[in-house]
Amino acid sequence: MTDAHTTGPFIAAIDQGTTSSRCIVFDKDGRIVSVDQKEHEQIFPKPGWVEHDAAEIWTNVQEVVAGAISKAGITPADVKAIGITNQRETTLLWDKNTGEPVHNAIVWQDTRTDALCKELGRNVGQDRFRRETGLPLASYFAGPKVRWLLDNVEGLRERAEAGDILFGTMDSWVIWNLTGGTEGGVHVTDVTNASRTLLMNLHEMRWDEKILQSMDIPAAVLPEIRSSAEVYGVAKAGPLKGVPVASALGDQQAALFGQTCFSQGEAKSTYGTGTFMLMNTGHTPVNSYNGLLTTVGYRIGDQKAVYALEGSIAVTGSLVQWMRDQMGLIKSAAEIETLASSVEDNGGAYFVPAFSGLFAPYWRPDARGVIAGLTRYVTKAHIARAVLEATAWQTREISDAMTKDSGVELTALKVDGGMTSNNLLMQTLSDFLDAPVVRPMVAETTCLGAAYAAGLAVGFWSSTDELRANWRRAAEWTPRMDAATRDREYKSWLKAVERSMGWLEDES
Ligand SMILES: Nc1ncnc2c1ncn2[C@@H]1O[C@H](COP(=O)(O)OP(=O)(O)OP(=O)(O)O)[C@@H](O)[C@H]1O
Ligand SMILES: [Mg+2]
C-alpha cells in the first residue's frame, strides 16, 4: 500500500487562505504528494480595517500551483481535477473587461461595515435576515462589504449597474482567472461560499431579491450559484492547462468534508487564523437560538444540499501571530508553547482577544480585546498561557451552544489546522471540553476536502464511503482536569468576556 514512490493519477487542490495560498497534490489514498505555499501581505489601513491585494493573491496562486506540480514531478495529464477552497466572506469587485480589481479585497475580519449593518437592521436588529440566510447581520459577511464598496469607490455603482463589474469571494476570483479571465472566464461561486454573503436564500439556494433590494446591490454583479462538486470549466493556461476545475468550498466547509464528517451529528473544529467548529445537520437547516450560524455544509453535484451549524471564532491563531509580530514576545508561533509550558497555570490572567468584536456565540461588534486579572505576579509566560486558553475556552463556549441547538452531546472532537501542532493547547482543549480530542493523519483537511470534492465530481473517487476509509487517527488527547478546577476557571473566563463588551460606544 505505502510505496515510497507514488504513482498517479492525482488531484490538485488550491487553498486560497487568509494568510497564505497553498497548492497540494494528493494521490488516490488521500496522501500528500507535494505542497507549495506563499504568504501574502496583510494590509491594515485603519484600526479594524483589513485588506488583501487580490492581484498579489492571483500571482501567488499561480506560483504555488507551478511549485506544487514541479515538486511532485508530474505533468498535467496526471492531474484529473483541480479543487478550490478559500478564505470565506473576503469580498472583491473587479472589472470584467480588464480583469483588474477596483479596490483591495475587504477581508472577513474587517469591521468597517459595523455601522452599516446596524442601519440595515432597521427596527428589527441583527436578525432581520436570519430566517432567509441563517446569519445575523454582522460585518463578518460579504453582502455589506459589497455595499460599502459600491458606496465608497467613486463611479463604481454606475459601472456595476452597467454590467461591467463582477463580485466574488476568493473562490470566484480564482476560478474566473483560472478558466480564462477576460477571455471567457466563468463567473461562479458554490453554495457554501454563497451562504456566507447574507444575500442567498438558504432554503432555495438562490440570491434573494428582497435582500438585494434592501442592501441596494445590483444583481448584475453576482456570480452564478453552483454545487460544491461539479466541473465549472477547464484551466486555460499555466501548468494545469486543460485540467477540469471541479470543486469549490469555503475553507471551513472543505475541512468538514476533508474530515469526512458526512453523517448528521459529526463535527470538526479547525484551528487556523480563526477557529471554526461545524456540525453536519443533514438535509435540514437547523435554526440556532444560541448564537451559532446556519450554513451550507456542501452540495455534491445535483444531490440534495447538506447543512451545518457553525460556531465562528474570529481570533485564535492570529492572536499567536499578534504576540509574535506586534508584541515581539515570541519569535515563532511554536514558541508560544515553550513559553506557556514554563509555568503551571495562567497566574490569574485571562485574555479575551475581541479584536474584531466577538463572533459566536455573542455577535458583539462593540467588544474589544482585554487582558483581565492582572497583578504584579503575572509574567509573559502566564500571558502566553492565557493566549492558548483563550482558544480552548472559546471552543468550549461554541461546543456548549452546539449541544443546546442540536441536542447532540459532544463525544469527541475532530480537530485540524496549524494550531493543532501545539500539544499544550490540544491537552488544554480536551481538559476544558471534558472530551477527547482527535487529530487525523492529514491535518491539511482544508485542501484535502477540496481535493475530495473535485475527485468525486470527476469520478476519481466513487463515493463518500471510499473517502471515509482514508481517515486515520494520528493523535488523541484525553481530559485530565478535575471538574472543580474546570468550573472555577470557566467562571473566571466568562467574567473576563463580560469585561470586553461595551467598549465601543454607539457613535464610534
Ligand atoms: N505551534 C503553534 N502553536 C500555536 N499556534 C500556532 C502554532 N503553529 C501555528 N500556529 C498558528 O496557526 C495559524 C496557522 O494555521 P494554519 O496554517 O492552519 O492557518 P491557515 O490555514 O494558513 O490560515 P488561513 O487559512 O486563515 O490563512 C497561525 O495563525 C499561527 O499563528
Ligand atoms: Mg486555512
Side-chain angles (χ1 to χ4, degrees):
M1 194 184 80
T2 4
D3 234 352
H5 184 74
T6 323
T7 53
F10 306 100
I11 302 284
I14 297 169
D15 174 5
Q16 200 305 291
T18 307
T19 49
S20 70
S21 302
R22 260 175 265 212
C23 179
I24 303 187
V25 175
F26 292 95
D27 68 11
K28 187 103 197 237
D29 296 325
R31 281 182 309 218
I32 292 175
V33 178
S34 67
V35 186
D36 201 30
Q37 177 172 4
K38 196 159 183 211
E39 289 199 9
H40 56 265
E41 191 189 350
Q42 304 296 317
I43 304 163
F44 305 113
K46 295 186 188 182
W49 291 31
V50 190
E51 299 181 354
H52 290 159
D53 174 352
E56 178 193 7
I57 284 181
W58 170 237
T59 304
N60 288 3
V61 166
Q62 290 169 281
E63 282 182 30
V64 296
V65 168
I69 296 303
S70 117
K71 285 182 193 172
I74 59 180
T75 63
D78 298 326
V79 180
K80 295 306 166 199
I82 307 168
I84 311 293
T85 178
N86 57 290
Q87 55 168 323
R88 307 173 303 172
E89 301 99 7
T90 295
T91 298
L92 183 69
L93 293 177
W94 71 94
D95 186 314
K96 77 171 181 197
N97 307 304
T98 63
E100 279 173 30
V102 302
H103 189 274
N104 279 336
I106 303 181
V107 178
W108 56 275
Q109 301 135 323
D110 189 293
T111 59
R112 78 185 66 183
T113 56
D114 277 346
L116 175 61
C117 286
K118 193 142 195 237
E119 189 188 310
L120 288 169
R122 294 234 201 108
N123 49 343
V124 185
Q126 250 180 354
D127 286 337
R128 181 172 173 208
F129 303 124
R130 200 186 258 271
R131 196 166 42 85
E132 297 89 340
T133 64
L135 311 172
L137 251 170
S139 61
Y140 178 26
F141 305 109
K145 299 183 200 286
V146 176
R147 163 70 179 272
W148 187 93
L149 287 166
L150 290 169
D151 287 350
N152 288 279
V153 179
E154 216 191 304
L156 189 57
R157 185 169 285 279
E158 292 69 40
R159 288 161 71 196
E161 272 156 10
D164 290 326
I165 300 297
L166 303 180
F167 152 69
T169 36
M170 299 321 275
D171 53 319
S172 302
W173 173 240
V174 169
I175 294 172
W176 187 79
N177 278 297
L178 261 180
T179 57
T182 53
E183 307 291 315
V186 294
H187 187 219
V188 297
T189 188
D190 91 298
V191 286
T192 68
N193 278 294
S195 77
R196 318 295 295 189
T197 56
L198 265 171
L199 304 174
M200 187 187 81
N201 183 299
L202 198 61
H203 310 274
E204 296 166 12
M205 305 284 178
R206 52 174 186 72
W207 302 117
D208 189 299
E209 270 163 41
K210 275 213 188 106
I211 299 179
L212 290 175
Q213 250 173 30
S214 308
M215 281 207 209
D216 204 7
I217 293 175
V221 303
L222 301 173
E224 185 188 345
I225 302 175
R226 304 278 288 267
S227 265
S228 319
E230 65 167 295
V231 175
Y232 312 117
V234 299
K236 285 287 161 53
L240 289 176
K241 192 173 171 191
V243 178
V245 182
S247 77
L249 299 115
D251 52 8
Q252 301 309 321
Q253 282 87 343
L256 185 75
F257 211 85
Q259 286 271 26
T260 67
C261 294
F262 299 130
S263 301
Q264 198 173 334
E266 287 188 290
K268 68 85 200 177
S269 193
T270 300
Y271 294 85
T273 305
T275 287
F276 303 85
M277 191 193 290
L278 274 78
M279 177 187 278
N280 181 326
T281 63
H283 297 302
T284 1
V286 172
N287 289 326
S288 174
Y289 299 96
N290 294 285
L292 303 178
L293 309 177
T294 309
T295 199
V296 181
Y298 54 89
R299 182 173 182 211
I300 304 172
D302 53 16
Q303 295 175 21
K304 273 201 206 157
V306 168
Y307 292 90
L309 270 174
E310 169 175 326
S312 332
I313 308 168
V315 177
T316 55
S318 56
L319 179 58
V320 176
Q321 281 171 356
W322 180 85
M323 290 284 283
R324 182 193 65 191
D325 303 337
Q326 258 108 317
M327 293 298 107
L329 288 173
I330 45 173
K331 283 194 207 68
S332 68
E335 230 179 80
I336 193 92
E337 183 171 5
T338 324
L339 185 56
S341 299
S342 69
V343 285
E344 289 288 299
D345 56 31
N346 59 23
Y350 300 82
F351 198 152
V352 183
F355 295 167
S356 322
L358 284 169
F359 282 20
Y362 301 104
W363 301 103
R364 290 285 297 258
D366 59 328
R368 283 298 178 269
V370 295
I371 303 175
L374 293 180
T375 59
R376 245 341 258 283
Y377 175 75
V378 170
T379 65
K380 61 180 179 178
H382 293 121
I383 301 290
R385 209 148 176 128
V387 160
L388 297 181
E389 290 184 356
T391 294
W393 282 131
Q394 291 186 95
T395 309
R396 166 70 191 267
E397 292 197 65
I398 299 296
S399 152
D400 286 355
M402 213 154 264
T403 303
K404 285 188 203 145
D405 275 334
S406 67
V408 179
E409 199 74 44
L410 185 75
T411 48
L413 183 65
K414 284 180 166 179
V415 298
D416 52 71
M419 289 185 99
T420 63
S421 63
N422 188 314
N423 269 300
L424 177 61
L425 173 62
M426 293 298 103
Q427 182 58 50
T428 305
L429 187 58
S430 175
D431 287 342
F432 290 3
L433 292 172
D434 195 22
V437 167
V438 292
R439 192 182 61 204
M441 210 73 101
V442 179
E444 290 280 358
T445 53
T446 302
C447 269
L448 185 61
Y452 279 169
L456 282 176
V458 298
F460 182 80
W461 286 294
S462 61
S463 68
T464 50
D465 286 342
E466 187 183 351
L467 302 176
R468 228 184 240 291
N470 284 344
W471 196 95
R472 283 178 211 89
R473 170 172 31 206
E476 175 160 2
W477 296 265
T478 50
R480 285 191 207 143
M481 186 175 258
D482 64 274
T485 310
R486 176 169 40 244
D487 293 349
R488 192 188 64 232
E489 287 296 306
Y490 195 14
K491 243 187 179 162
S492 300
W493 163 259
L494 292 171
K495 265 201 288 189
V497 170
E498 213 161 276
R499 304 254 184 306
S500 75
M501 293 182 188
W503 182 256
L504 291 193
E505 305 278 338
D506 236 12
E507 26 291 302
S508 52

